[in-house]
Amino acid sequence: MSLGKKTLFLLVSLVVLIAFTVSTFNYKTILNSGINQETTFSSEDSMFGEYADLAVIKMNELKSSILKSLGLDQGDGIGQNKEPISLELLKDNGIVLMNGTFKDEEQAKSIVDLLNINRNGEYEFEENRIKDVVLLNKLSLLMDSFKEFFTDGSKLAIENGKVLLSGELKDSNFKPLLDSIIAKSNLDMITDIKEPIKSKTETIIDNIKKFVVPKAIEVSSESENKLNELENITPVKAVIEVKSKLVQDAQNSINNLTSNKKITFKRRSTNITEESKETVKAIASILLGDSKLTVEIAGHTDSRGRASLNKRISQDRANSVKNALTELGVDPKRIKAIGYGEDFPIAQDDAQGLSEVNRRVEFIVGEIK
């Protein structure tokens, strides 16, 4: 055998030996008593966290591949491969519940925080379970869509490193946006997604929307005044002026409340924050002060994202405020909740369509005649 071949053979053998030794090393420490004690390193012990666990898995895979190619058996019970976590996210009553098998409670909690899970389900704990942080970060990109787009009973799961998504969409219009989000997440995913069956009425409405609606002819203020005189139409200013003092006082009080403490919602949610609940209580007190008062709750968003989704989010948030007022004793018949989405901005959005000012809830007070 030539010197070059001998050198190559030695280098290959050295790489195999290093890979085999590192991947099967049990981290044993000899105590003074002579008893072997196994020492493990958790994510808290290493600056690399869970990425170190992933390195162990990849090394074990490399070892198995090399040994198999050389015709060698691992045998002797050397080491024990770690297994990935398994979890199932279930949509139930509008919230997401998580079941699964994890290393410990701390690992489960870190996943709950990352995925913004609403409620804990049934957990099992096994010492050899590790989490794939790269996979979980990709999965987190789907959580908003899973919560907003899917009906109750839908599932999002991780099994053997594969992501499974099954369920029915609330609206078939969500499908293109969902496909785009899945493509951007770059997940190895198996899907079983059903679209809702449209009624005849919905089909007719969709067909009508396909036609171009002509823009309304702009009318000058002078022409508008003449038309109002001819048709005896009361200008908007006159309508505002005839509002009763009861309505004006209530409107001013609510405006003062919301200007000082804006109604806000929990991150990635339509649930009202604890701070805003106090503002809602104060508004309920005003409405309960006179049974003649009515109110329209108007939800608004900025222009980031799909217009149809923005309208849905604004409607859900307006509904959330209505439900809160109803729970405080206000008659639901006196409350109207409308989501306007991005249709009525009060400030210029930035290049990404973001505007804190445009994300708001407004209250328009009226009176039962």
Side-chain angles (χ1 to χ4, degrees), residues 149 169 171-182 195 306:
F149 296 172
L169 293 172
D171 189 326
S172 57
N173 292 323
F174 291 151
K175 188 64 166 60
L177 179 57
L178 179 65
D179 290 340
S180 175
I181 293 171
I182 290 175
E195 296 184 43
R306 194 180 179 89

Side-chain angles (χ1 to χ4, degrees), residues 15 18-24 52-66 81:
V15 170
I18 292 173
F20 183 83
T21 302
V22 171
S23 61
T24 59
D53 285 337
L54 290 178
V56 172
I57 282 187
K58 296 300 181 184
M59 191 63 74
N60 278 329
E61 291 175 352
L62 175 62
K63 176 197 70 176
S64 298
S65 175
I66 294 174
N81 287 345

Side-chain angles (χ1 to χ4, degrees), residues 150-165:
F150 285 86
T151 60
D152 287 345
S154 300
K155 295 180 181 179
L156 180 59
I158 297 179
E159 294 181 9
N160 299 320
K162 300 281 186 180
V163 179
L164 313 175
L165 174 60

Side-chain angles (χ1 to χ4, degrees), residues 87 89 111-117 136 139-140 143 147:
L87 64 82
L89 307 179
I111 296 172
V112 166
D113 293 339
L114 175 63
L115 301 182
N116 195 23
I117 302 300
L136 287 169
L139 190 67
S140 68
M143 290 307 300
K147 290 179 179 180

Side-chain angles (χ1 to χ4, degrees), residues 1-11:
M1 183 182 293
S2 67
L3 179 61
K5 289 183 178 180
K6 288 181 180 179
T7 302
L8 179 61
F9 177 77
L10 288 174
L11 287 173

Side-chain angles (χ1 to χ4, degrees), residues 94-308:
I95 64 175
V96 176
L97 177 146
M98 183 174 79
N99 302 312
T101 304
F102 311 98
K103 177 182 177 182
D104 49 34
E105 290 186 5
E106 185 174 351
Q107 187 187 69
K109 184 179 183 302
S110 68
I111 296 172
V112 166
D113 293 339
L114 175 63
L115 301 182
N116 195 23
I117 302 300
N118 302 116
R119 191 171 70 197
N120 300 334
E122 296 181 0
Y123 294 168
E124 293 182 4
F125 300 111
E126 296 179 2
E127 180 63 29
N128 65 332
R129 296 284 178 163
I130 69 165
K131 65 179 183 180
D132 185 335
V133 289
V134 176
L135 177 63
L136 287 169
N137 275 294
K138 289 181 179 180
L139 190 67
S140 68
L141 300 176
L142 294 178
M143 290 307 300
D144 284 348
S145 303
F146 183 64
K147 290 179 179 180
E148 297 289 345
F149 296 172
F150 285 86
T151 60
D152 287 345
S154 300
K155 295 180 181 179
L156 180 59
I158 297 179
E159 294 181 9
N160 299 320
K162 300 281 186 180
V163 179
L164 313 175
L165 174 60
S166 63
E168 182 176 337
L169 293 172
K170 295 178 182 178
D171 189 326
S172 57
N173 292 323
F174 291 151
K175 188 64 166 60
L177 179 57
L178 179 65
D179 290 340
S180 175
I181 293 171
I182 290 175
K184 289 178 181 178
S185 68
N186 197 28
L187 279 167
D188 184 6
M189 179 182 295
I190 300 172
T191 60
D192 180 16
I193 301 171
K194 299 177 181 178
E195 296 184 43
I197 300 174
K198 290 187 176 181
S199 65
K200 290 183 179 179
T201 303
E202 289 175 323
T203 303
I204 292 172
I205 292 173
D206 287 344
N207 290 333
I208 292 173
K209 287 180 179 179
K210 292 178 182 179
F211 293 98
V212 178
V213 179
K215 291 184 178 180
I217 300 174
E218 294 185 1
V219 182
S220 67
S221 59
E222 183 178 351
S223 300
E224 186 178 2
N225 290 334
K226 289 182 179 179
L227 287 172
N228 288 339
E229 290 175 4
L230 290 172
E231 299 178 11
N232 293 321
I233 297 175
T234 306
V236 176
K237 287 184 179 180
V239 174
I240 295 175
E241 289 171 359
V242 298
K243 281 188 176 182
S244 70
K245 187 175 185 304
L246 171 68
V247 172
Q248 291 182 36
D249 290 345
Q251 184 71 69
N252 291 336
S253 297
I254 292 176
N255 288 348
N256 289 335
L257 284 170
T258 55
S259 62
N260 293 328
K261 293 184 179 179
K262 180 182 176 181
I263 302 292
T264 57
F265 300 84
K266 294 180 181 178
R267 184 172 177 265
R268 297 180 180 179
S269 171
T270 57
N271 297 324
I272 302 170
T273 59
E274 293 299 323
E275 296 81 0
S276 295
K277 286 181 180 179
E278 296 302 317
T279 304
V280 174
K281 286 180 182 178
I283 294 172
S285 178
I286 294 171
L287 296 174
L288 291 170
D290 196 302
S291 59
K292 291 183 179 180
L293 291 174
T294 63
V295 67
E296 176 187 307
I297 304 167
H300 301 273
T301 69
D302 55 25
S303 61
R304 183 184 184 185
R306 194 180 179 89
S308 59

